Amino acid sequence: MTVIPLHRNAPAATAGPVDLTADQVTTLLAPINPSRVQNHRGQSHLEAWDVRRWLNRVFGFGGWSDETLELAPVAQMEINPGRWTVIYRAQVRLTVKTTDGRVLTAYDDAAMGDSRNQPVLGDAHDQAMKTALSQALKRCAHNLGDAFGLSLYNDGSRQAVGLWSAAHPKPKDDAAAPAVPDDAPVKPEPAPVVEQPAPAAAEQQVQRSKRAEGGPWETSPQQAPPEQQRPRAVPDQQPAAQGGPSRDYLADAQAAESRERFDQVRAAAVAENAPQDYLAKLDAIARQKEQAAQQQAPKQQAPSKPAAAKAAPARPVAVPSAPDPEADAARQQHAVALAEFLAAGKALALEPSHLDDITVAEAGSPAADCTVEQLAGLTADLLAAAEGVAA
């Protein structure tokens, strides 16, 4: 008896681009529906739930999966008593499959996520973790093309950038049309409720066009309110007057006991975008202090006249030392590193006092006392956090 073998059409063990269906290719090449695009802080992006919806639409239920490769806390800050800001870092792998279950490809990417000014520490950690994971998943998915926001990296454009793929058969004639009917505009996921404290002085500042006194950068130390009367801002609140200082740099410059401390004060003002006329006032204070020290120096060096009664020893006055190029270069390098650190914190809406909390927790000292290397490392962490929020 002759045995006739049965030939089954078993799927290949591996999969490639040709295993995508024509409808899948058409959907991936179509331009993104503008109603899906959101805007946050001037950056165009997709909602995480919408990305998951489209993964289901293109690859089917069970046709994709995401895996958390890393989820680690970066910072936990009590910015005000009972108010918490938490930052997490996440690395995620997105795997997509063919319709018969074979792995087509996988993408890895990472992102930072934060939760600001939360009254409950647990809620702050929960929201920061979810944000980091969602951001990382979205970054993985954009490798799949315009349906997943690839064109948004082209300065927020909604026009398709994929257009065609030589690895796939020619799609339908009307390839520019979306593969599915347009949906209603996408709405963002509900954000966590942040309880804002009642404003201590809601009318303390008014618009510059409606007042005759100097602007926020023009206030002199004598006109500035006492430190204990100033309301402390929280990260998600905008300053009462846009462009104004978060602290009285003129008063801090007057109180600086050394040139190094003055350089730190000036660097902080530069990082907060102080105008040139304000920086000129700071430099004038430095010149006045140096001239006063030089005038005191001859008096200290002159021989004292004999007196009948022994006079009380005079209080020592700092005498300016000879110029030291290496010391000046080191001070300048430290001032630049401090200014970069403060600027990175400003991108996350963190005040200098909040940044001091971070440096004390991470380096054991306030920002002004950290080394250049410590400031560089902390700056890199803040820039990564800012990038994760803006993505």
Side-chain angles (χ1 to χ4, degrees):
M1 180 178 65
T2 303
V3 177
I4 301 176
L6 297 177
H7 296 282
R8 298 180 179 179
N9 295 325
T14 59
V18 295
D19 292 297
L20 289 171
T21 68
D23 286 340
Q24 286 177 318
V25 174
T26 300
T27 304
L28 293 173
L29 291 178
I32 192 169
N33 186 343
S35 67
R36 297 175 56 203
V37 181
Q38 300 290 310
N39 187 281
H40 179 66
R41 297 178 183 173
Q43 300 288 332
S44 298
H45 73 102
L46 299 180
E47 290 294 322
W49 72 266
D50 182 50
V51 170
R52 293 177 179 274
R53 174 179 66 159
W54 276 80
L55 286 169
N56 285 334
R57 284 183 172 180
V58 176
F59 301 102
F61 300 102
W64 64 277
S65 64
D66 58 334
E67 177 185 359
T68 301
L69 304 180
E70 180 191 26
L71 182 61
V74 175
Q76 172 184 299
M77 299 160 283
E78 189 174 15
I79 56 176
N80 275 321
R83 312 294 297 191
W84 298 90
T85 290
V86 174
I87 302 174
Y88 266 79
R89 177 180 65 250
Q91 184 176 2
V92 169
R93 173 174 296 158
L94 171 64
T95 301
V96 295
K97 304 174 184 178
T98 61
T99 54
D100 57 9
R102 290 172 293 151
V103 173
L104 182 64
T105 188
Y107 303 103
D108 294 3
D109 216 321
M112 304 278 277
D114 71 348
S115 181
R116 306 181 186 182
N117 192 31
Q118 291 296 313
V120 179
L121 181 57
D123 292 344
H125 276 271
D126 180 68
Q127 184 64 29
M129 286 191 294
K130 290 191 294 186
T131 301
L133 291 170
S134 295
Q135 295 291 346
L137 175 64
K138 291 193 294 183
R139 288 186 177 182
C140 291
H142 85 268
N143 292 289
L144 293 168
D146 295 311
F148 296 93
L150 180 62
S151 67
L152 302 182
Y153 286 81
N154 185 26
D155 198 23
S157 173
R158 276 66 163 170
Q159 299 296 321
V161 295
L163 299 179
W164 58 273
S165 172
H168 298 97
K170 184 177 179 180
K172 299 176 181 179
D173 294 336
D174 192 9
V180 295
D182 290 348
D183 296 306
V186 171
K187 295 182 180 180
E189 295 183 23
V193 177
V194 178
E195 299 177 2
Q196 300 290 355
E203 301 299 329
Q204 183 175 356
Q205 293 277 0
V206 294
Q207 295 182 2
R208 183 166 184 165
S209 59
K210 297 180 180 179
R211 54 189 169 90
E213 66 271 17
W217 280 106
E218 298 166 343
T219 304
S220 64
Q222 293 78 12
Q223 296 171 334
E227 183 68 27
Q228 62 272 19
Q229 295 180 5
R230 291 188 210 152
R232 187 177 184 183
V234 292
D236 280 344
Q237 291 178 325
Q238 295 294 330
Q242 294 293 334
S246 63
R247 54 190 272 205
D248 192 345
Y249 293 104
L250 295 175
D252 290 347
Q254 288 283 7
E257 66 279 1
S258 64
R259 180 69 192 195
E260 290 80 1
R261 182 57 184 168
F262 171 81
D263 290 341
Q264 294 168 1
V265 172
R266 192 183 192 280
V270 171
E272 205 168 346
N273 299 323
Q276 289 299 322
D277 57 345
Y278 191 89
L279 296 177
K281 293 179 182 180
L282 292 176
D283 294 336
I285 292 175
R287 289 193 298 269
Q288 292 173 1
K289 294 171 72 70
E290 290 176 352
Q291 292 172 1
Q294 291 172 358
Q295 292 173 0
Q296 292 290 337
K299 297 180 181 180
Q300 286 187 327
Q301 297 172 358
S304 59
K305 296 180 180 181
K310 186 177 181 181
R315 188 174 182 180
V317 180
V319 179
S321 58
D324 186 347
E326 293 184 0
D328 290 342
R331 285 198 301 267
Q332 183 65 23
Q333 186 180 10
H334 187 275
V336 171
L338 181 62
E340 291 175 348
F341 174 68
L342 295 173
K346 187 177 181 181
L348 288 170
L350 298 176
E351 292 186 76
S353 59
H354 303 155
L355 294 174
D356 277 340
D357 295 338
I358 297 176
T359 57
V360 169
E362 297 292 333
S365 60
D369 298 330
C370 289
T371 65
V372 173
E373 291 75 15
Q374 289 172 332
L375 290 172
L378 293 168
T379 299
D381 290 340
L382 292 179
L383 290 176
E387 180 183 354
V389 172

